[in-house]
Amino acid sequence: MPNNTVTLNCPATVANMVCGFDILGMALNDPFDKITISLSGEPGIRINHTDEYHLPTEPSKNVAGVALLEMMQSIPEPVGFDMTITKNIKPGSGLGSSAASAAGAVVAANELLGKRFNDADLVRFAMAGEKLASGVKHADNIAPCIMGGITLIRSIFPLDIVRLQAPPLFVTVVHPQIEVKTADARQILRKEVLLKNAIRQWGNIAGLVAGLLQGDYDLIGRSLEDVIIEPVRSILIPGFDQVKQQSREAGALGGGISGSGPSIFMLSRDKATASQIAGLMENIYERLGIDYKTYITTLRTQPLAG
Amino acid sequence: MPNNTVTLNCPATVANMVCGFDILGMALNDPFDKITISLSGEPGIRINHTDEYHLPTEPSKNVAGVALLEMMQSIPEPVGFDMTITKNIKPGSGLGSSAASAAGAVVAANELLGKRFNDADLVRFAMAGEKLASGVKHADNIAPCIMGGITLIRSIFPLDIVRLQAPPLFVTVVHPQIEVKTADARQILRKEVLLKNAIRQWGNIAGLVAGLLQGDYDLIGRSLEDVIIEPVRSILIPGFDQVKQQSREAGALGGGISGSGPSIFMLSRDKATASQIAGLMENIYERLGIDYKTYITTLRTQPLAG
């Protein structure tokens, strides 16, 4: 075995990417959690948090723990892990906090075990953590967290993940400090949608994929439209419409709700625009009197394990 | 003006391409109609058919005529056209017969007029012909007919057409000689769809676009799945399930209903497979006692006007 201790920076991720509900996600270079795992002679999992979030440390109640437990079911010999997690991605931010913990734990553990599992295995293990966090096994944060870049979940059962090439993208994120539970955000969605809206949505997702693969920023921008989820969910996020409109006016390609919110992300083709957008986001939430945090970052292209 | 007479071979097209209902279409090298247009000193449109289909020759009742009339509204000076149409694409086949007439007429006329209109203009004019044929202005046959290759209609209002690169594709088509009217095929669709099916569909359309642009035949094959339209429409086409299943077993990447049917298309990566599929299609319709026509052809990449 190559190492006795592995430390990974586990990136935040933006699921859905406006028109790709439940199928698209992208990794960011900032913020990120830090996970350190060591092999231990004592079987089982011990979790230590060095952050302010008071997350459970009992493995079966911790997303990283649950993901590791899932992985250990595929390991015939007894193993033990000591894990230290420092979270910078706030739980409930819509930035893939639970995915960073779950993915980070299994990827780091896999490094310790000599990389015996492939990416698809690791995504499957980590999805057990997502199930604990949100009640649903989804991979649209897990996959980009593990593989980097932008990933398409073409199908979840059976799992079919496609890594999509993309041109350089600057990303501005604002996290208004309000609570939107993923489970609640999912519950308010209608179970049926108008066929004509679905057609519009699949035109946009097709346009977004083509724009990413062809490096066509204008097409990316035109395709960043969501006529199904955003109109319902954005009501839960004060300031959403202003952020979106002013960001577009400032030159953003487009953007929308990150995951199930409340964070909002905007894509730009240059850093100056991304910075300007952070400024206007800050102004909006200052005026609304809501605490916030902003990030000016980029699409992270490298995978979680080097 | 460069010429007084233009003759074009106007290709058949496959709309929808399984998971891209109303947004995707591809041009075929066979079958095709032949349209010859001459400028005439006498204003107005005169239409002559040299085929067996007894289509109306009054311009306002003829799809090619209506498309030309639409175009003439954007031409300030009085113009006259004599048009001879030889159709090989049977009306009602689901192979874009009306699109070939409408697109061929306006593209040929545009050549005579020194190419004063661009592709987007020509698509708009030709859509008037589609409206006459099916009651709906759609561009998923018109766009690939005019531009060649595979086209994405990201949005119809406003019109946003994206040409998608694709690897070489062999196409086998069977046209069972039964009648399925586009308007009827549209009417049996439900106006609402389950969100979970819509998600599956947009995963597939995203996968298909990625597969085409990345030249990934396996991904193309996995993505050729339609959980919304095909289960309803395929009931109108005897032999559909057998054709699909046996074609997959014979090595087809996949396929499904061409447009609103009754033609069925299958994609393959080599000619031997495409030929074998034509044979099994013929066997199926022989056994069913239904007249049929098969085509073994390829994705047409060149645009309608050279």
Short mmCIF file of all heavy atoms in Angstrom, two decimals, chain A residues 21-23 152 154 160 162-164 190-195 199 201-207 209-210 213-214 219 222-223 228, chain B residues 21-23 152 154 160 162-164 190-195 199 201-207 209-210 213-214 219 222-223 228:
data_model
loop_
_atom_site.label_atom_id
_atom_site.label_comp_id
_atom_site.label_asym_id
_atom_site.label_seq_id
_atom_site.Cartn_x
_atom_site.Cartn_y
_atom_site.Cartn_z
N PHE A 21 -31.30 19.61 -14.81
CA PHE A 21 -31.78 19.11 -13.52
C PHE A 21 -31.53 17.61 -13.37
O PHE A 21 -31.95 16.82 -14.21
CB PHE A 21 -33.28 19.40 -13.38
CG PHE A 21 -33.88 18.93 -12.09
CD1 PHE A 21 -33.52 19.52 -10.88
CD2 PHE A 21 -34.81 17.90 -12.06
CE1 PHE A 21 -34.07 19.08 -9.68
CE2 PHE A 21 -35.38 17.47 -10.88
CZ PHE A 21 -35.01 18.06 -9.68
N ASP A 22 -30.81 17.27 -12.32
CA ASP A 22 -30.52 15.88 -11.95
C ASP A 22 -29.53 15.18 -12.87
O ASP A 22 -29.24 13.99 -12.68
CB ASP A 22 -31.80 15.02 -11.89
CG ASP A 22 -32.42 15.02 -10.49
OD1 ASP A 22 -31.91 15.73 -9.61
OD2 ASP A 22 -33.41 14.30 -10.28
N ILE A 23 -29.00 15.86 -13.88
CA ILE A 23 -28.09 15.16 -14.80
C ILE A 23 -26.73 15.84 -14.97
O ILE A 23 -25.78 15.20 -15.38
CB ILE A 23 -28.72 14.94 -16.20
CG1 ILE A 23 -28.97 16.28 -16.93
CG2 ILE A 23 -30.01 14.14 -16.11
CD1 ILE A 23 -29.20 16.11 -18.42
N LEU A 152 -21.91 14.59 -17.00
CA LEU A 152 -23.30 14.29 -17.35
C LEU A 152 -23.64 12.93 -16.74
O LEU A 152 -22.91 11.96 -16.96
CB LEU A 152 -23.44 14.24 -18.87
CG LEU A 152 -24.65 13.50 -19.44
CD1 LEU A 152 -25.94 14.24 -19.10
CD2 LEU A 152 -24.52 13.34 -20.96
N ARG A 154 -25.97 10.51 -17.61
CA ARG A 154 -26.97 10.17 -18.63
C ARG A 154 -28.07 9.31 -18.04
O ARG A 154 -29.25 9.47 -18.35
CB ARG A 154 -26.33 9.44 -19.82
CG ARG A 154 -27.31 9.30 -21.00
CD ARG A 154 -26.87 8.25 -21.99
NE ARG A 154 -26.77 6.93 -21.44
CZ ARG A 154 -27.79 6.10 -21.23
NH1 ARG A 154 -29.02 6.45 -21.54
NH2 ARG A 154 -27.58 4.90 -20.70
N ASP A 160 -24.51 5.80 -15.66
CA ASP A 160 -23.77 6.08 -16.90
C ASP A 160 -23.30 7.53 -16.83
O ASP A 160 -24.08 8.46 -16.98
CB ASP A 160 -24.70 5.87 -18.11
CG ASP A 160 -23.96 5.97 -19.44
OD1 ASP A 160 -22.74 6.23 -19.44
OD2 ASP A 160 -24.63 5.79 -20.48
N VAL A 162 -20.75 10.60 -18.07
CA VAL A 162 -19.97 11.06 -19.21
C VAL A 162 -19.25 12.36 -18.81
O VAL A 162 -19.89 13.31 -18.37
CB VAL A 162 -20.88 11.35 -20.43
CG1 VAL A 162 -20.05 11.77 -21.64
CG2 VAL A 162 -21.75 10.13 -20.75
N ARG A 163 -17.93 12.37 -18.94
CA ARG A 163 -17.16 13.58 -18.66
C ARG A 163 -17.24 14.47 -19.91
O ARG A 163 -16.94 14.02 -21.01
CB ARG A 163 -15.72 13.16 -18.38
CG ARG A 163 -14.74 14.27 -18.14
CD ARG A 163 -14.84 14.81 -16.72
NE ARG A 163 -13.57 15.34 -16.26
CZ ARG A 163 -13.01 16.45 -16.71
NH1 ARG A 163 -13.59 17.16 -17.65
NH2 ARG A 163 -11.84 16.86 -16.23
N LEU A 164 -17.66 15.72 -19.72
CA LEU A 164 -17.81 16.64 -20.85
C LEU A 164 -16.66 17.64 -20.89
O LEU A 164 -16.37 18.30 -19.88
CB LEU A 164 -19.13 17.40 -20.74
CG LEU A 164 -20.42 16.57 -20.70
CD1 LEU A 164 -21.62 17.49 -20.51
CD2 LEU A 164 -20.58 15.73 -21.97
N ARG A 190 -43.50 19.93 -9.14
CA ARG A 190 -44.64 19.15 -9.62
C ARG A 190 -44.14 17.84 -10.20
O ARG A 190 -43.05 17.76 -10.76
CB ARG A 190 -45.42 19.95 -10.67
CG ARG A 190 -46.10 21.18 -10.08
CD ARG A 190 -47.03 21.82 -11.11
NE ARG A 190 -47.93 20.83 -11.65
CZ ARG A 190 -48.20 20.70 -12.95
NH1 ARG A 190 -47.66 21.49 -13.82
NH2 ARG A 190 -49.04 19.78 -13.36
N LYS A 191 -44.93 16.79 -10.08
CA LYS A 191 -44.53 15.48 -10.58
C LYS A 191 -44.73 15.38 -12.09
O LYS A 191 -44.19 14.51 -12.75
CB LYS A 191 -45.33 14.38 -9.88
CG LYS A 191 -44.95 14.22 -8.42
CD LYS A 191 -45.17 12.83 -7.91
CE LYS A 191 -44.46 12.59 -6.59
NZ LYS A 191 -44.37 13.79 -5.72
N GLU A 192 -45.57 16.29 -12.64
CA GLU A 192 -45.77 16.32 -14.09
C GLU A 192 -45.38 17.68 -14.63
O GLU A 192 -45.51 18.69 -13.95
CB GLU A 192 -47.24 16.04 -14.43
CG GLU A 192 -47.70 14.65 -14.03
CD GLU A 192 -48.74 14.10 -14.99
OE1 GLU A 192 -49.68 14.81 -15.33
OE2 GLU A 192 -48.58 12.93 -15.41
N VAL A 193 -44.89 17.68 -15.85
CA VAL A 193 -44.53 18.94 -16.50
C VAL A 193 -45.18 18.97 -17.88
O VAL A 193 -45.49 17.93 -18.45
CB VAL A 193 -43.00 19.09 -16.63
CG1 VAL A 193 -42.35 19.11 -15.25
CG2 VAL A 193 -42.40 17.99 -17.48
N LEU A 194 -45.39 20.17 -18.40
CA LEU A 194 -45.96 20.30 -19.73
C LEU A 194 -44.96 19.79 -20.76
O LEU A 194 -43.77 20.11 -20.70
CB LEU A 194 -46.30 21.76 -20.03
CG LEU A 194 -47.50 22.34 -19.30
CD1 LEU A 194 -47.62 23.84 -19.55
CD2 LEU A 194 -48.79 21.62 -19.73
N LEU A 195 -45.46 19.01 -21.72
CA LEU A 195 -44.59 18.49 -22.77
C LEU A 195 -43.86 19.63 -23.48
O LEU A 195 -42.67 19.54 -23.77
CB LEU A 195 -45.40 17.66 -23.78
CG LEU A 195 -44.64 17.13 -24.99
CD1 LEU A 195 -43.48 16.23 -24.58
CD2 LEU A 195 -45.56 16.37 -25.94
N ILE A 199 -39.88 19.95 -23.88
CA ILE A 199 -39.20 20.08 -25.18
C ILE A 199 -38.23 21.27 -25.15
O ILE A 199 -37.10 21.20 -25.61
CB ILE A 199 -40.23 20.24 -26.31
CG1 ILE A 199 -41.01 18.95 -26.50
CG2 ILE A 199 -39.55 20.67 -27.62
CD1 ILE A 199 -42.25 19.09 -27.38
N GLN A 201 -36.85 22.49 -22.55
CA GLN A 201 -35.74 22.13 -21.66
C GLN A 201 -34.74 21.23 -22.38
O GLN A 201 -33.54 21.40 -22.25
CB GLN A 201 -36.30 21.42 -20.42
CG GLN A 201 -35.36 21.37 -19.24
CD GLN A 201 -35.52 22.58 -18.32
OE1 GLN A 201 -36.10 23.60 -18.70
NE2 GLN A 201 -34.97 22.48 -17.14
N TRP A 202 -35.23 20.24 -23.16
CA TRP A 202 -34.24 19.36 -23.79
C TRP A 202 -33.57 20.04 -24.97
O TRP A 202 -32.44 19.68 -25.31
CB TRP A 202 -34.70 17.93 -23.99
CG TRP A 202 -35.86 17.55 -24.85
CD1 TRP A 202 -35.99 17.72 -26.19
CD2 TRP A 202 -37.03 16.81 -24.43
NE1 TRP A 202 -37.17 17.16 -26.61
CE2 TRP A 202 -37.82 16.59 -25.57
CE3 TRP A 202 -37.46 16.31 -23.20
CZ2 TRP A 202 -39.04 15.91 -25.51
CZ3 TRP A 202 -38.68 15.63 -23.15
CH2 TRP A 202 -39.45 15.44 -24.29
N GLY A 203 -34.20 21.05 -25.55
CA GLY A 203 -33.48 21.89 -26.52
C GLY A 203 -32.34 22.63 -25.85
O GLY A 203 -31.23 22.71 -26.38
N ASN A 204 -32.61 23.14 -24.66
CA ASN A 204 -31.57 23.88 -23.94
C ASN A 204 -30.44 22.98 -23.45
O ASN A 204 -29.27 23.35 -23.55
CB ASN A 204 -32.19 24.65 -22.76
CG ASN A 204 -32.87 25.92 -23.22
OD1 ASN A 204 -32.34 26.63 -24.09
ND2 ASN A 204 -34.02 26.23 -22.65
N ILE A 205 -30.78 21.81 -22.92
CA ILE A 205 -29.71 20.93 -22.44
C ILE A 205 -28.85 20.46 -23.62
O ILE A 205 -27.61 20.40 -23.53
CB ILE A 205 -30.26 19.75 -21.61
CG1 ILE A 205 -29.13 18.89 -21.04
CG2 ILE A 205 -31.19 18.86 -22.36
CD1 ILE A 205 -28.41 19.54 -19.92
N ALA A 206 -29.50 20.18 -24.75
CA ALA A 206 -28.73 19.80 -25.94
C ALA A 206 -27.83 20.96 -26.38
O ALA A 206 -26.67 20.77 -26.74
CB ALA A 206 -29.67 19.40 -27.06
N GLY A 207 -28.37 22.18 -26.31
CA GLY A 207 -27.58 23.36 -26.68
C GLY A 207 -26.42 23.58 -25.72
O GLY A 207 -25.31 23.92 -26.14
N VAL A 209 -24.82 21.30 -23.88
CA VAL A 209 -23.79 20.28 -24.11
C VAL A 209 -23.00 20.61 -25.38
O VAL A 209 -21.77 20.56 -25.40
CB VAL A 209 -24.41 18.86 -24.20
CG1 VAL A 209 -23.37 17.84 -24.64
CG2 VAL A 209 -25.00 18.46 -22.85
N ALA A 210 -23.72 20.99 -26.44
CA ALA A 210 -23.04 21.35 -27.69
C ALA A 210 -22.14 22.58 -27.48
O ALA A 210 -21.01 22.62 -27.95
CB ALA A 210 -24.06 21.60 -28.80
N LEU A 213 -18.99 21.51 -25.49
CA LEU A 213 -18.05 20.68 -26.26
C LEU A 213 -17.43 21.45 -27.42
O LEU A 213 -16.32 21.16 -27.84
CB LEU A 213 -18.74 19.41 -26.78
CG LEU A 213 -19.19 18.41 -25.72
CD1 LEU A 213 -19.78 17.17 -26.36
CD2 LEU A 213 -18.03 18.01 -24.83
N GLN A 214 -18.18 22.42 -27.96
CA GLN A 214 -17.66 23.19 -29.08
C GLN A 214 -16.98 24.48 -28.61
O GLN A 214 -16.49 25.25 -29.43
CB GLN A 214 -18.80 23.53 -30.06
CG GLN A 214 -19.41 22.28 -30.71
CD GLN A 214 -20.60 22.60 -31.60
OE1 GLN A 214 -21.17 23.69 -31.53
NE2 GLN A 214 -20.97 21.65 -32.45
N LEU A 219 -23.47 30.17 -27.33
CA LEU A 219 -24.45 29.09 -27.27
C LEU A 219 -24.65 28.63 -25.83
O LEU A 219 -25.79 28.36 -25.40
CB LEU A 219 -24.01 27.92 -28.16
CG LEU A 219 -24.90 26.68 -28.18
CD1 LEU A 219 -26.33 27.02 -28.57
CD2 LEU A 219 -24.33 25.63 -29.14
N ARG A 222 -26.97 31.22 -24.32
CA ARG A 222 -28.37 31.11 -24.78
C ARG A 222 -29.07 29.90 -24.18
O ARG A 222 -30.29 29.89 -24.02
CB ARG A 222 -28.42 31.02 -26.31
CG ARG A 222 -27.93 32.24 -27.05
CD ARG A 222 -28.40 32.27 -28.50
NE ARG A 222 -28.04 31.13 -29.32
CZ ARG A 222 -26.86 30.94 -29.91
NH1 ARG A 222 -25.88 31.81 -29.76
NH2 ARG A 222 -26.63 29.88 -30.67
N SER A 223 -28.29 28.85 -23.89
CA SER A 223 -28.88 27.60 -23.41
C SER A 223 -29.12 27.58 -21.91
O SER A 223 -29.79 26.68 -21.41
CB SER A 223 -27.97 26.42 -23.79
OG SER A 223 -27.73 26.41 -25.19
N ILE A 228 -38.56 24.92 -16.11
CA ILE A 228 -39.30 23.94 -15.30
C ILE A 228 -39.01 24.07 -13.81
O ILE A 228 -39.92 24.22 -13.00
CB ILE A 228 -38.99 22.50 -15.80
CG1 ILE A 228 -39.59 22.34 -17.22
CG2 ILE A 228 -39.55 21.46 -14.85
CD1 ILE A 228 -39.43 20.99 -17.83
N PHE B 21 -37.17 14.73 -29.59
CA PHE B 21 -38.48 15.12 -30.14
C PHE B 21 -38.56 16.63 -30.35
O PHE B 21 -38.33 17.41 -29.44
CB PHE B 21 -39.59 14.67 -29.18
CG PHE B 21 -40.98 15.02 -29.64
CD1 PHE B 21 -41.53 14.43 -30.76
CD2 PHE B 21 -41.75 15.96 -28.96
CE1 PHE B 21 -42.81 14.75 -31.19
CE2 PHE B 21 -43.03 16.29 -29.37
CZ PHE B 21 -43.57 15.69 -30.50
N ASP B 22 -38.85 17.01 -31.58
CA ASP B 22 -39.04 18.41 -31.99
C ASP B 22 -37.77 19.24 -32.02
O ASP B 22 -37.83 20.44 -32.34
CB ASP B 22 -40.07 19.13 -31.10
CG ASP B 22 -41.49 19.01 -31.64
OD1 ASP B 22 -41.69 18.28 -32.64
OD2 ASP B 22 -42.40 19.62 -31.08
N ILE B 23 -36.62 18.65 -31.70
CA ILE B 23 -35.40 19.48 -31.67
C ILE B 23 -34.27 18.95 -32.55
O ILE B 23 -33.39 19.70 -32.92
CB ILE B 23 -34.86 19.69 -30.24
CG1 ILE B 23 -34.41 18.38 -29.60
CG2 ILE B 23 -35.91 20.36 -29.35
CD1 ILE B 23 -33.51 18.59 -28.39
N LEU B 152 -29.59 20.77 -34.50
CA LEU B 152 -30.34 20.94 -33.26
C LEU B 152 -31.14 22.23 -33.38
O LEU B 152 -30.58 23.27 -33.72
CB LEU B 152 -29.36 21.05 -32.09
CG LEU B 152 -29.89 21.69 -30.79
CD1 LEU B 152 -30.94 20.81 -30.15
CD2 LEU B 152 -28.73 21.94 -29.82
N ARG B 154 -32.41 24.45 -31.02
CA ARG B 154 -32.40 24.71 -29.57
C ARG B 154 -33.68 25.42 -29.17
O ARG B 154 -34.26 25.16 -28.12
CB ARG B 154 -31.20 25.56 -29.16
CG ARG B 154 -31.06 25.66 -27.64
CD ARG B 154 -30.15 26.78 -27.21
NE ARG B 154 -30.61 28.07 -27.62
CZ ARG B 154 -31.56 28.79 -26.98
NH1 ARG B 154 -32.15 28.32 -25.91
NH2 ARG B 154 -31.91 29.98 -27.45
N ASP B 160 -33.24 29.19 -33.24
CA ASP B 160 -31.82 29.04 -32.90
C ASP B 160 -31.40 27.65 -33.36
O ASP B 160 -31.73 26.64 -32.73
CB ASP B 160 -31.64 29.20 -31.38
CG ASP B 160 -30.17 29.23 -30.96
OD1 ASP B 160 -29.28 29.10 -31.83
OD2 ASP B 160 -29.92 29.38 -29.75
N VAL B 162 -28.42 24.89 -34.41
CA VAL B 162 -27.02 24.56 -34.18
C VAL B 162 -26.67 23.33 -35.02
O VAL B 162 -27.33 22.30 -34.92
CB VAL B 162 -26.77 24.24 -32.69
CG1 VAL B 162 -25.29 23.95 -32.43
CG2 VAL B 162 -27.27 25.37 -31.79
N ARG B 163 -25.66 23.47 -35.86
CA ARG B 163 -25.20 22.32 -36.64
C ARG B 163 -24.28 21.49 -35.76
O ARG B 163 -23.33 22.02 -35.19
CB ARG B 163 -24.45 22.88 -37.86
CG ARG B 163 -23.83 21.86 -38.77
CD ARG B 163 -24.85 21.27 -39.73
NE ARG B 163 -24.24 20.83 -40.99
CZ ARG B 163 -23.40 19.82 -41.10
NH1 ARG B 163 -23.05 19.09 -40.04
NH2 ARG B 163 -22.90 19.49 -42.27
N LEU B 164 -24.59 20.18 -35.64
CA LEU B 164 -23.78 19.30 -34.78
C LEU B 164 -22.86 18.42 -35.61
O LEU B 164 -23.32 17.75 -36.55
CB LEU B 164 -24.71 18.41 -33.94
CG LEU B 164 -25.72 19.11 -33.02
CD1 LEU B 164 -26.59 18.07 -32.33
CD2 LEU B 164 -25.01 20.00 -32.00
N ARG B 190 -49.68 12.94 -24.95
CA ARG B 190 -50.21 13.63 -23.77
C ARG B 190 -49.58 15.00 -23.66
O ARG B 190 -48.43 15.20 -24.03
CB ARG B 190 -49.93 12.80 -22.51
CG ARG B 190 -50.71 11.48 -22.49
CD ARG B 190 -50.54 10.79 -21.13
NE ARG B 190 -50.89 11.70 -20.06
CZ ARG B 190 -50.17 11.87 -18.94
NH1 ARG B 190 -49.07 11.17 -18.77
NH2 ARG B 190 -50.55 12.71 -18.02
N LYS B 191 -50.34 15.96 -23.14
CA LYS B 191 -49.82 17.32 -23.01
C LYS B 191 -48.90 17.46 -21.80
O LYS B 191 -48.14 18.40 -21.68
CB LYS B 191 -50.98 18.32 -22.90
CG LYS B 191 -51.76 18.44 -24.20
CD LYS B 191 -52.42 19.78 -24.35
CE LYS B 191 -52.88 20.01 -25.78
NZ LYS B 191 -53.37 18.78 -26.47
N GLU B 192 -49.00 16.50 -20.86
CA GLU B 192 -48.13 16.51 -19.70
C GLU B 192 -47.33 15.22 -19.65
O GLU B 192 -47.80 14.16 -20.09
CB GLU B 192 -48.94 16.65 -18.41
CG GLU B 192 -49.68 17.96 -18.31
CD GLU B 192 -49.79 18.46 -16.86
OE1 GLU B 192 -50.11 17.64 -15.99
OE2 GLU B 192 -49.51 19.65 -16.63
N VAL B 193 -46.12 15.32 -19.15
CA VAL B 193 -45.28 14.13 -19.00
C VAL B 193 -44.75 14.11 -17.57
O VAL B 193 -44.66 15.13 -16.90
CB VAL B 193 -44.11 14.14 -20.00
CG1 VAL B 193 -44.62 14.13 -21.42
CG2 VAL B 193 -43.19 15.33 -19.77
N LEU B 194 -44.42 12.90 -17.11
CA LEU B 194 -43.85 12.78 -15.77
C LEU B 194 -42.47 13.44 -15.73
O LEU B 194 -41.66 13.24 -16.64
CB LEU B 194 -43.73 11.31 -15.37
CG LEU B 194 -45.04 10.58 -15.06
CD1 LEU B 194 -44.77 9.09 -14.85
CD2 LEU B 194 -45.70 11.19 -13.82
N LEU B 195 -42.22 14.20 -14.66
CA LEU B 195 -40.91 14.84 -14.52
C LEU B 195 -39.80 13.81 -14.59
O LEU B 195 -38.77 14.02 -15.23
CB LEU B 195 -40.86 15.63 -13.20
CG LEU B 195 -39.52 16.29 -12.87
CD1 LEU B 195 -39.09 17.28 -13.95
CD2 LEU B 195 -39.57 16.98 -11.51
N ILE B 199 -36.70 13.91 -17.13
CA ILE B 199 -35.29 13.91 -16.71
C ILE B 199 -34.53 12.82 -17.47
O ILE B 199 -33.42 13.03 -17.96
CB ILE B 199 -35.18 13.68 -15.19
CG1 ILE B 199 -35.74 14.90 -14.45
CG2 ILE B 199 -33.75 13.39 -14.77
CD1 ILE B 199 -35.97 14.67 -12.95
N GLN B 201 -35.27 11.63 -20.33
CA GLN B 201 -35.16 12.06 -21.73
C GLN B 201 -34.05 13.09 -21.90
O GLN B 201 -33.28 13.04 -22.84
CB GLN B 201 -36.51 12.67 -22.17
CG GLN B 201 -36.69 12.77 -23.67
CD GLN B 201 -37.32 11.52 -24.26
OE1 GLN B 201 -37.38 10.45 -23.63
NE2 GLN B 201 -37.79 11.64 -25.48
N TRP B 202 -33.95 14.06 -20.96
CA TRP B 202 -32.90 15.05 -21.18
C TRP B 202 -31.52 14.51 -20.85
O TRP B 202 -30.54 14.98 -21.40
CB TRP B 202 -33.22 16.43 -20.65
CG TRP B 202 -33.45 16.73 -19.21
CD1 TRP B 202 -32.58 16.61 -18.18
CD2 TRP B 202 -34.64 17.34 -18.65
NE1 TRP B 202 -33.16 17.06 -17.03
CE2 TRP B 202 -34.41 17.52 -17.28
CE3 TRP B 202 -35.86 17.74 -19.17
CZ2 TRP B 202 -35.36 18.08 -16.41
CZ3 TRP B 202 -36.80 18.29 -18.32
CH2 TRP B 202 -36.57 18.46 -16.97
N GLY B 203 -31.45 13.46 -20.02
CA GLY B 203 -30.17 12.74 -19.90
C GLY B 203 -29.78 12.09 -21.21
O GLY B 203 -28.62 12.14 -21.63
N ASN B 204 -30.76 11.51 -21.88
CA ASN B 204 -30.47 10.85 -23.16
C ASN B 204 -30.11 11.84 -24.27
O ASN B 204 -29.19 11.59 -25.05
CB ASN B 204 -31.65 9.98 -23.59
CG ASN B 204 -31.67 8.65 -22.83
OD1 ASN B 204 -30.62 8.04 -22.62
ND2 ASN B 204 -32.85 8.22 -22.41
N ILE B 205 -30.84 12.95 -24.35
CA ILE B 205 -30.53 13.91 -25.41
C ILE B 205 -29.14 14.51 -25.18
O ILE B 205 -28.35 14.69 -26.11
CB ILE B 205 -31.63 14.99 -25.55
CG1 ILE B 205 -31.32 15.93 -26.73
CG2 ILE B 205 -31.82 15.80 -24.31
CD1 ILE B 205 -31.55 15.32 -28.04
N ALA B 206 -28.82 14.76 -23.91
CA ALA B 206 -27.47 15.27 -23.60
C ALA B 206 -26.42 14.23 -23.97
O ALA B 206 -25.37 14.56 -24.53
CB ALA B 206 -27.38 15.63 -22.12
N GLY B 207 -26.71 12.97 -23.68
CA GLY B 207 -25.79 11.89 -24.03
C GLY B 207 -25.64 11.74 -25.53
O GLY B 207 -24.53 11.53 -26.05
N VAL B 209 -26.06 14.11 -27.86
CA VAL B 209 -25.28 15.23 -28.40
C VAL B 209 -23.79 15.04 -28.08
O VAL B 209 -22.92 15.21 -28.94
CB VAL B 209 -25.80 16.57 -27.84
CG1 VAL B 209 -24.86 17.72 -28.22
CG2 VAL B 209 -27.21 16.85 -28.36
N ALA B 210 -23.51 14.63 -26.84
CA ALA B 210 -22.10 14.39 -26.46
C ALA B 210 -21.51 13.26 -27.30
O ALA B 210 -20.38 13.35 -27.77
CB ALA B 210 -22.00 14.08 -24.97
N LEU B 213 -20.83 14.56 -30.89
CA LEU B 213 -19.71 15.51 -30.98
C LEU B 213 -18.38 14.86 -30.64
O LEU B 213 -17.34 15.27 -31.13
CB LEU B 213 -19.95 16.72 -30.06
CG LEU B 213 -21.12 17.62 -30.45
CD1 LEU B 213 -21.20 18.82 -29.52
CD2 LEU B 213 -20.99 18.11 -31.88
N GLN B 214 -18.42 13.84 -29.76
CA GLN B 214 -17.17 13.17 -29.38
C GLN B 214 -16.90 11.94 -30.24
O GLN B 214 -15.90 11.27 -30.05
CB GLN B 214 -17.24 12.76 -27.89
CG GLN B 214 -17.34 13.95 -26.95
CD GLN B 214 -17.51 13.55 -25.48
OE1 GLN B 214 -17.85 12.41 -25.18
NE2 GLN B 214 -17.28 14.49 -24.58
N LEU B 219 -21.76 5.56 -26.77
CA LEU B 219 -22.60 6.53 -26.06
C LEU B 219 -23.82 6.90 -26.92
O LEU B 219 -24.94 7.03 -26.40
CB LEU B 219 -21.77 7.78 -25.72
CG LEU B 219 -22.51 8.92 -25.02
CD1 LEU B 219 -23.20 8.46 -23.74
CD2 LEU B 219 -21.54 10.08 -24.72
N ARG B 222 -26.23 4.04 -26.45
CA ARG B 222 -26.88 4.01 -25.14
C ARG B 222 -27.92 5.13 -25.00
O ARG B 222 -28.91 4.99 -24.27
CB ARG B 222 -25.85 4.18 -24.01
CG ARG B 222 -24.86 3.04 -23.90
CD ARG B 222 -24.15 3.02 -22.54
NE ARG B 222 -23.44 4.23 -22.18
CZ ARG B 222 -22.21 4.56 -22.59
NH1 ARG B 222 -21.56 3.78 -23.43
NH2 ARG B 222 -21.63 5.68 -22.16
N SER B 223 -27.69 6.23 -25.72
CA SER B 223 -28.57 7.40 -25.58
C SER B 223 -29.80 7.33 -26.48
O SER B 223 -30.72 8.14 -26.32
CB SER B 223 -27.79 8.68 -25.91
OG SER B 223 -26.63 8.78 -25.11
N ILE B 228 -40.78 8.77 -23.75
CA ILE B 228 -41.97 9.63 -23.75
C ILE B 228 -42.81 9.48 -25.00
O ILE B 228 -44.01 9.19 -24.93
CB ILE B 228 -41.54 11.11 -23.55
CG1 ILE B 228 -40.98 11.28 -22.13
CG2 ILE B 228 -42.71 12.06 -23.79
CD1 ILE B 228 -40.55 12.67 -21.76
#
